Amino acid sequence: MNKAQQKILEAVGILNNNRLRFSSFSKKHIFDVKKVSNEIKTPGFMCARQKGCLVLAESWFRERGLYVSWGTLGGTFLLGAGCFAALAVFFKEGLFNIPATLSAFAMAVIGFVTGYPLLFAAKSELKLQGLQYTIFNTDSKNVHFVSEVDFQPKTCRWDECTFCLAYSAGSIEGYYYELKGYLFSEDGSVRDSFSFDDYHYMTSNSDNARQAMIDDLSARFEYVRRFMEEGADSVEPVTGSLDLKPSLSEAAHRFQPRSKASEGKKFHIIYSIVRTVFLIPFSVQVVGHYFFCRYCRLPQWPQSVIDECGEEVFPRR
């Protein structure tokens, strides 16, 4: 991947802007892995928990497929529109009309420049980024993760990593926050990073909403902390594993895990109307997630990691 392609992926969001940035917010919200917290909550999205291993998907997993769906549609439309406009000018004005030829060429270039980044993002989401998750092994005290920097599987020690709260969705203060792990170089710069568990979305930017976000993510990290520090028996057991061949209804539930019909008739009618209005964009992204799970690149772990954790721990099709 060259620098131009890297800039494209950063611009569209495939490469997280805060992957090598340790914000002042994160510095103020670093977790002490030795400090016990009274509040504990089961992680929002768990891939698996077995054989002393806790497997958590990256924070934006349930949104994956966005570029596969909308990127493919948008890129195809823009590229096709540019080519169609160029051909229309050629057929109408002829090949030897220089002004018309230049206009047609410009239209084709515009179609390519606007459409290519979206198509490249869709391909990169499937084949470059692929499936990202983190394995916490309480027996070995190792953390195996898929890097946000180069999307390769890596390993670090539990006490080697700095865990904290971080901005999500573009590395700026806003409404989305996540749990992150950072690895630092000797000079203090960020060497690598990864996210884990579902992100937290604040419905408002009030002090109460911000505190609720901090409490929620901190309680979910406490589950991970106790699992690693005190052993698997110290936290509530959870069954199930990540299915990489979901049905469309299962993909829809992942995309909107908190969507539930209300018992109140009036609210239920409003909810149904809103869902109908957003049916098409919602369905497009659900289909994208469906294809992402079935065809995305899976991380290739070293045999030593597979032997340490056991083959059944790793998400597979």
Side-chain angles (χ1 to χ4, degrees), residues 262-317:
S262 171
E263 294 181 358
K265 185 176 181 181
K266 181 179 179 181
F267 183 85
H268 182 68
I269 293 174
I270 296 175
Y271 173 80
S272 299
I273 293 174
V274 172
R275 184 154 187 169
T276 300
V277 171
F278 289 99
L279 178 62
I280 293 178
F282 173 78
S283 300
V284 169
Q285 192 158 342
V286 167
V287 171
H289 184 77
Y290 173 87
F291 279 100
F292 175 84
C293 290
R294 288 174 173 260
Y295 301 108
C296 71
R297 179 183 67 89
L298 299 181
Q300 300 298 311
W301 295 94
Q303 188 59 45
S304 59
V305 175
I306 296 176
D307 293 340
E308 174 191 320
C309 300
E311 290 188 7
E312 63 274 21
V313 170
F314 299 89
R316 60 186 184 277
R317 298 187 180 96

Side-chain angles (χ1 to χ4, degrees), residues 159-227:
D159 55 7
E160 176 189 0
C161 192
T162 298
F163 297 99
C164 60
L165 302 181
Y167 302 138
S168 188
S171 76
I172 59 174
E173 184 173 1
Y175 293 90
Y176 295 88
Y177 292 83
E178 63 188 356
L179 293 169
K180 285 186 71 74
Y182 285 98
L183 294 172
F184 295 95
S185 302
E186 293 183 359
D187 61 0
S189 62
V190 176
R191 171 165 51 91
D192 222 321
S193 66
F194 58 94
S195 67
F196 55 98
D197 199 17
D198 200 6
Y199 63 79
H200 181 103
Y201 171 68
M202 297 195 312
T203 55
S204 70
N205 207 15
S206 65
D207 291 339
N208 289 336
R210 184 174 297 276
Q211 188 58 50
M213 173 273 295
I214 294 174
D215 293 342
D216 175 50
L217 290 177
S218 298
R220 285 195 259 156
F221 179 76
E222 177 63 15
Y223 185 101
V224 179
R225 192 203 67 79
R226 291 189 190 182
F227 182 88

Side-chain angles (χ1 to χ4, degrees), residues 71-82 115 119:
T72 301
L73 288 176
T76 302
F77 173 78
L78 292 171
L79 191 61
L119 293 173

